Amino acid sequence: MAGGRRAPAICQEYKISVAQELMNAMPDPFARAPDEALLIAFANGDAEAARALTVRLLPRVLAQATRMLANTAEAEDVAQESMIRLWKQATEWRQGEALVSTWLYRVTANLCTDILRKRRGGVSLDQIAEPTDGTPSVADQMQTNTRMQALSDALAALPERQAQAVALRHLEGLSNPEIAQIMDISVRSVESLTARGKRALADIMAGRKAELGYDDD
Amino acid sequence: MMMTDHNDDMLEDIFAQARAVASTPSDDLMARVLAGAVPPTPPVISAPPTSVGKRLLDMLGGWPAVSGLVTATFAGVWIGVAPPASIQDYTAAYFGDEVSVSIFNDDAVFATGDLTDG
């Protein structure tokens, strides 16, 4: 009986290695295609292009929304809505005018600030984003969640354009020219928005320093 | 000044923690997004006309072409029925005058006098 069970295991292993070799021999046709090419392929009826585009872009969109909102459910709703808007835009996409990623950053940032605006009336208490690396203790994880929520609430208190500029600069790590393109403003305006936004954010967060686990010394 | 530096350090630390947040889309979210990715339907191509008259009309080039044909036909018939003088001169010059030729001698056809005489 045991011998009978071993044989299929070897066969399965062989099958996997063959499949792996086949995959290596035939690279994914979508792997090197630019986002725009995939979007146009989708607009022409290629459902596989949409799948490839989703696998490539959805994690980034979800991460952006999670960082700004610190709320998994809201971030998922925003990510879904951003992607649905992308599908709707596909047939009217103007080639060479904007990068798909730039367009998505803009749509996601706008959807997030819409939610932050609504949140100003009453602070959302159900969170949370998941911390990534290592296996932090429950206390550390709670501390991180509290900080992320405090950051999101502070962003909600900023004027919308400042909140978007600060989030794109300091949470997404984008350059000022990239942010200028996303927000459709000049680089100088981006510099001004991020500087004022960061200063306002620091002032707001200063009041919660002890709560967030930062000593005053 | 020191306080501001502390605040900036705190903010930078929180920014760094936020950047480290990983967001792996759940299977449910992937499914929801892909469910919305319905490829646009291609434009509906209208069925070709089925009636013989319609197909003939299309073959000739539609109403504009047919109206030209009808006008030309009527013009041709009218010129045949009531040709203008200039046309008559032209045809006379081209084809020559109309001439009647008889292959019989009018006088001899029905003459029987010689036979009865013999």
Side-chain angles (χ1 to χ4, degrees):
Chain A
M1 191 68 184
R5 290 177 69 180
R6 225 175 249 170
I10 294 165
C11 287
Q12 199 172 4
E13 200 173 314
Y14 174 71
K15 271 185 197 168
I16 289 168
S17 66
V18 168
Q20 197 68 44
E21 275 179 27
L22 277 171
M23 281 177 73
N24 291 341
M26 293 184 294
D28 179 6
F30 294 124
R32 285 172 175 272
D35 296 343
E36 189 174 66
L38 291 177
L39 189 62
I40 290 163
F42 164 71
N44 289 326
D46 190 339
E48 276 307 305
R51 176 174 288 277
L53 215 46
T54 303
V55 169
R56 188 184 293 180
L57 298 176
L58 184 59
R60 201 163 63 198
V61 173
L62 182 62
Q64 183 190 357
T66 305
R67 287 176 192 130
M68 280 189 83
L69 300 173
N71 180 300
T72 306
E74 285 178 340
E76 285 193 346
D77 286 347
V78 164
Q80 182 185 353
E81 180 61 23
S82 297
M83 294 302 291
I84 297 294
R85 289 189 186 188
L86 181 64
W87 304 143
K88 286 180 182 168
Q89 188 68 23
T91 49
E92 293 166 21
W93 187 261
R94 295 181 192 173
Q95 293 183 48
E97 204 164 275
L99 292 174
V100 174
S101 56
T102 303
W103 188 90
L104 268 177
Y105 271 125
R106 183 186 305 148
V107 170
T108 306
N110 286 337
L111 288 170
C112 285
T113 42
D114 284 349
I115 289 179
L116 291 177
R117 191 192 314 131
K118 289 174 193 162
R119 206 189 273 177
R120 279 178 197 160
V123 174
S124 160
L125 293 175
D126 55 333
Q127 34 256 49
I128 316 163
E130 296 159 18
T132 46
D133 34 4
T135 49
S137 68
V138 174
D140 286 347
Q141 195 168 326
M142 284 178 68
Q143 183 70 279
T144 304
N145 292 340
T146 307
R147 287 171 181 174
M148 295 305 102
Q149 188 64 48
L151 176 63
S152 181
D153 293 343
L155 282 173
L158 295 184
E160 287 176 18
R161 302 293 277 174
Q162 281 185 23
Q164 285 187 3
V166 167
L168 291 169
R169 180 76 188 88
H170 297 288
L171 304 186
E172 301 307 312
L174 299 177
S175 67
N176 287 346
E178 284 173 313
I179 299 167
Q181 225 170 4
I182 291 166
M183 296 182 69
D184 200 19
I185 54 177
S186 68
V187 174
R188 191 179 286 269
S189 300
V190 172
E191 288 167 357
S192 169
L193 282 173
T194 48
R196 282 184 287 143
K198 192 181 171 189
R199 214 176 306 131
L201 209 57
D203 289 344
I204 295 167
M205 299 288 275
R208 301 180 69 176
K209 219 169 182 180
E211 178 196 346
L212 299 176
Y214 293 95
D215 292 330
D216 257 348
D217 50 6
Chain B
M1 189 65 182
M2 283 292 285
M3 183 66 87
T4 308
D5 289 344
H6 281 307
N7 289 344
D8 283 348
D9 290 346
M10 175 186 72
L11 204 53
E12 288 299 338
D13 188 48
I14 291 176
F15 283 155
Q17 287 179 43
R19 282 195 295 270
V21 167
S23 296
T24 307
S26 63
D27 291 343
D28 177 55
L29 179 61
M30 285 289 285
R32 278 190 284 158
V33 168
L34 286 171
V38 181
T41 48
V44 178
I45 299 165
S46 58
T50 48
S51 74
V52 176
K54 177 84 174 134
R55 264 186 279 173
L56 186 65
L57 189 69
D58 286 347
M59 199 169 65
L60 290 171
W63 281 114
V66 169
S67 63
L69 273 177
V70 169
T71 307
T73 305
F74 276 109
V77 169
W78 182 251
I79 288 168
V81 170
S86 58
I87 298 282
Q88 278 181 320
D89 292 346
Y90 178 76
T91 49
Y94 190 79
F95 294 111
D97 288 329
E98 188 180 330
V99 178
S100 296
V101 178
S102 174
I103 57 170
F104 300 110
N105 185 341
D106 292 343
D107 297 331
V109 173
F110 300 107
T112 54
D114 291 345
L115 294 173
T116 51
D117 285 348

